[in-house]
Amino acid sequence: MLQLSKALTKELGKGFSRSNVYNMRQFYLSYPIFQSVTGKLSWTHYCELLSISDKDKRSFYEKEAVNAGWSVREMKRQIESSLFERLLLSRGDANKVQVLALAEKGVDYAKPEDIIKDP
């Protein structure tokens, strides 16, 4: 990685540190179909998501970050607070199916009440 980092930096300029080249490789391995990547998240979001090895968990945080408009800091806070695991544990197996569906396809707004919360 270090040799590649030096060669790319020499040829193309900044942005090819050893850790960044490693993240680029991980990104390619995690998202082989580039069309599956949303343009609504930054590279920093994806670098943070790459630290998650579980595909369902990574997909959940990715979709929630897009839907809720999380900053990188907020997404990191949610990951560190184990939001995904807490949601899986709450309300038994029925909720587990819902959380995994969220990880798969994101939030589905079927009616206005799904968006507007009644205090």
Side-chain angles (χ1 to χ4, degrees):
M1 279 297 168
L2 187 57
Q3 293 295 351
L4 179 60
S5 169
K6 287 180 181 180
L8 288 171
T9 300
K10 184 178 179 181
E11 186 175 331
L12 302 171
K14 292 181 179 181
F16 297 97
S17 66
R18 183 176 172 200
S19 62
N20 215 12
V21 170
Y22 176 79
N23 284 335
M24 290 174 197
R25 180 178 184 275
Q26 287 303 108
F27 182 81
Y28 174 76
L29 295 173
S30 298
Y31 298 95
I33 301 171
F34 185 72
Q35 286 79 13
S36 66
V37 177
T38 178
K40 295 181 181 178
L41 295 179
S42 68
W43 172 246
T44 311
H45 279 94
Y46 282 107
C47 287
E48 194 63 43
L49 288 167
L50 290 173
S51 66
I52 302 171
S53 58
D54 180 358
K55 280 181 142 182
D56 288 333
K57 183 176 174 182
R58 183 174 52 238
S59 178
F60 170 80
Y61 285 114
E62 180 181 353
K63 292 196 175 33
E64 285 300 303
V66 170
N67 291 334
W70 289 344
S71 65
V72 175
R73 181 178 290 169
E74 177 63 18
M75 185 179 73
K76 191 173 183 177
R77 189 182 75 75
Q78 295 293 355
I79 293 168
E80 289 173 355
S81 72
S82 303
L83 174 64
F84 181 72
E85 292 82 357
R86 287 185 289 124
L87 287 174
L88 283 178
L89 291 173
S90 66
R91 294 175 289 187
D93 289 335
N95 192 54
K96 185 175 183 176
V97 171
Q98 288 178 328
V99 172
L100 292 175
L102 268 177
E104 183 67 31
K105 63 177 182 150
V107 177
D108 185 23
Y109 299 113
K111 50 191 184 280
E113 296 82 40
D114 293 340
I115 298 171
I116 302 169
K117 294 183 180 178
D118 183 13

